[in-house]
Amino acid sequence: MDSKEPSTSAKSNATTASSLLPSHAELVRAYRMDELWISRIAEHLDRLALAVLGLERYTACRSGLSAFGQVASKALYYGASTAQCLQTLGEEYVNLVQVDRSRRRLPGSRARLFLILLQCLFPDLLLWLLRRAEHRCRSDLTLSEPIQRRRLALLSRLSALATSAYELNSALFYINGSYYQLSKRVLGINYLRSRPGLGHVTETLYRLIGWLSLARLAGRAVNQMRSLASALAAAGAAAPTAEPSDNPTDSMSLQEKQTFEAEANNNNGRLNRICPLCCDRVLEASAIALCGHVFCWACIVRCLQLTGRCPLCRLECQPNRVVHLANYSDAPM
């Protein structure tokens, strides 16, 4: 009788420990709930920036304000919860607590601060900085063409590497059920239930999603290696016979040639119209009936809902006075 009691207690302890481990679905629900509240904070910060800066300055630096708003909203949200050793709203929603890799104690203050820093800076701010650097490199006229191409290729590789790292982390999460965020995987912070649950349901579907994601990443890596090898082989074969050419498209890649030809065709008897609000090509062109100024449909409707005035001439106008223009992008000069 005495020999059976330790085995029974060991089984009960193992059952209790397994019931404290969260499932895939619980971790995803906690993360989505946190993202919902962070997006709401970011929306309020965006409205505050619009009210303080005004529409013109807000539009001029909208991309930077969007990245800063994401960082600030995460800092406010996690600073009021994780930094104070409290549960976030998502963690409280599914009864989860953060623990270190050994699952024996709560993470220390230094680990929590590093976690908040990583969650605020990556991946949104990192990808925005890479896109900003790429834009500056393209607009820098002092760089020679070979140097500019090498820098653009490096920035493109870094962006692809950052995106692949987060996709790989998601695939590993769906396979083993831990570390949904890359920052928590780096610092070794996992989750436990604050009280025992009803046990796990089958996780086969999540593991299948993880293996499919890994297969997709592997296929992408193979294609990139093949394209890189073919580009190097073509460059080596063309190097001995390379001669200067008067045609600017001879030294361009296939994608650059397509972009060059598209822009040339677009400017051949067509207007390259730019929306004054988003500073991009006009999409679903719409005009204010009272003054005739043309914007994107979504841009001008949102602007009039917020200010009630034309952003160019400041004429009072309501969204119902906006007229959609058909075939505007195909109109000749």
Side-chain angles (χ1 to χ4, degrees):
M1 295 295 293
D2 295 339
S3 61
K4 294 182 180 180
E5 290 180 358
S7 61
T8 305
S9 61
K11 290 182 180 180
S12 62
N13 292 334
T15 304
T16 304
S18 62
S19 64
L20 291 176
L21 295 176
S23 63
H24 293 76
E26 289 173 327
L27 292 173
V28 173
R29 283 201 299 268
Y31 178 76
R32 295 306 179 190
M33 179 64 72
D34 291 337
E35 285 293 310
L36 173 63
W37 285 101
I38 290 173
S39 64
R40 291 183 179 179
I41 297 174
E43 182 179 354
H44 287 293
L45 292 177
D46 187 68
R47 292 180 179 177
L48 178 62
L50 177 61
V52 172
L53 298 177
L55 182 62
E56 184 176 355
R57 284 185 294 177
Y58 170 82
T59 305
C61 53
R62 186 173 62 174
S63 61
L65 288 174
S66 177
F68 176 77
Q70 288 292 330
V71 174
S73 58
K74 289 182 179 180
L76 291 173
Y77 183 77
Y78 292 117
S81 55
T82 305
Q84 307 297 327
C85 201
L86 300 174
Q87 291 175 298
T88 65
L89 294 176
E91 295 167 359
E92 185 179 1
Y93 178 65
V94 291
N95 301 313
L96 299 181
V97 292
Q98 296 182 11
V99 293
D100 62 359
R101 196 185 300 272
S102 61
R103 298 175 181 173
R104 295 179 180 178
R105 59 183 178 84
L106 298 176
S109 58
R110 183 177 298 179
R112 293 197 303 271
L113 291 178
F114 274 116
L115 176 62
I116 295 173
L117 181 64
L118 291 177
Q119 288 175 330
C120 291
L121 298 182
F122 304 102
D124 299 324
L125 185 61
L126 174 62
L127 295 178
W128 179 81
L129 290 175
L130 291 174
R131 289 194 300 267
R132 188 67 179 175
E134 183 178 355
H135 176 71
R136 288 186 177 181
C137 183
R138 291 182 183 276
S139 59
D140 191 355
L141 301 178
T142 60
L143 296 176
S144 62
E145 186 177 357
I147 296 178
Q148 188 180 41
R149 288 187 178 182
R150 285 196 294 268
R151 290 187 179 180
L152 290 176
L154 176 61
L155 292 173
S156 178
R157 300 289 182 188
L158 290 177
S159 300
L161 181 62
T163 304
S164 299
Y166 281 90
E167 291 180 356
L168 177 61
N169 178 75
S170 298
L172 294 177
F173 161 76
Y174 285 119
I175 292 174
N176 55 33
S178 59
Y179 305 118
Y180 188 75
Q181 294 173 302
L182 184 59
S183 56
K184 289 186 172 64
R185 184 179 296 275
V186 171
L187 297 177
I189 297 177
N190 210 340
Y191 283 109
L192 288 178
R193 288 195 183 102
S194 59
R195 59 174 180 266
L198 299 178
H200 288 274
V201 297
T202 176
E203 306 290 348
T204 305
L205 181 59
Y206 287 99
R207 292 191 177 93
L208 178 60
I209 294 174
W211 287 115
L212 290 176
S213 300
L214 281 180
R216 183 171 63 89
L217 286 174
R220 184 191 303 174
V222 170
N223 290 332
Q224 289 180 353
M225 293 298 294
R226 287 179 178 176
S227 62
L228 179 61
S230 61
L232 291 176
T241 60
E243 294 180 357
S245 174
D246 296 333
N247 189 357
T249 61
D250 290 344
S251 60
M252 295 182 180
S253 63
L254 178 59
Q255 184 177 2
E256 291 174 339
K257 286 183 179 180
Q258 292 175 353
T259 305
F260 181 83
E261 293 173 359
E263 292 179 353
N265 294 332
N266 180 66
N267 293 328
N268 186 15
R270 296 287 182 264
L271 283 175
N272 188 13
R273 295 176 172 89
I274 301 298
C275 174
L277 292 177
C278 64
C279 300
D280 202 349
R281 294 287 303 277
V282 174
L283 298 178
E284 298 183 358
S286 303
I288 298 178
L290 299 178
C291 60
H293 292 133
V294 180
F295 310 89
C296 297
W297 170 265
C299 295
I300 188 57
V301 169
R302 184 171 184 269
C303 175
L304 294 179
Q305 289 175 347
L306 294 174
T307 63
R309 292 178 179 270
C310 174
L312 295 181
C313 62
R314 311 303 298 168
L315 180 68
E316 293 186 0
C317 181
Q318 297 300 321
N320 58 2
R321 302 306 301 272
V322 177
V323 180
H324 179 71
L325 303 179
N327 301 323
Y328 178 79
S329 59
D330 295 332
M333 282 187 177

